[in-house]
Amino acid sequence: MGRFADPSKQAPQQTKTKNKGARRRKRMFVAMMALFLIWAGSTLWSQNDRIRNQNEALTQKQEDYKSVEQSLTQITHEVERLKDPEYIGQIARKKFGLYLPNETPIIQPQNSGETP
């Protein structure tokens, strides 16, 4: 009974033992693959959640940066205007009522909602 012998002449118990071992190996392989896929899926899910949170934080910080950049531009423009003596004189006249010594202010009376 060598390996080239007719399979029908072999002992039936030997083929059953081979089938049991093959089934067991297949079940172990499927179980290991299922565990691997579950682990990979959970890792992918957590990384996706982390990336989404970081993208939201990045978007918020970009909006904050734009608003800060805009206010910086306004402040820089105001500083440049404050270097002009004529603008300083306009502020002094408007807010504090200060005029040059030979300047005569013209003040318009305010009407209570009437238009000419």
Side-chain angles (χ1 to χ4, degrees), residues 51-102:
I51 288 171
R52 185 177 52 239
N53 290 339
Q54 287 180 351
N55 280 339
E56 289 173 2
L58 177 64
T59 303
Q60 181 64 34
K61 289 187 189 277
Q62 285 175 342
E63 290 174 3
D64 293 345
Y65 177 76
K66 285 180 183 177
S67 66
V68 167
E69 191 73 26
Q70 184 180 13
S71 65
L72 177 66
T73 303
Q74 289 175 350
I75 291 171
T76 305
H77 181 66
E78 185 68 24
V79 166
E80 289 298 318
R81 289 181 70 190
L82 285 172
K83 291 179 181 177
D84 183 21
E86 187 175 324
Y87 181 67
I88 294 173
Q90 287 177 358
I91 292 175
R93 287 181 192 94
K94 185 175 181 181
K95 289 187 177 180
F96 304 111
L98 301 175
Y99 298 98
L100 293 174
N102 55 0

Side-chain angles (χ1 to χ4, degrees), residues 5 8 13 20 42 47 62 89:
S8 61
Q13 192 175 25
K20 281 185 181 181
S42 67
Q47 287 178 354
Q62 285 175 342

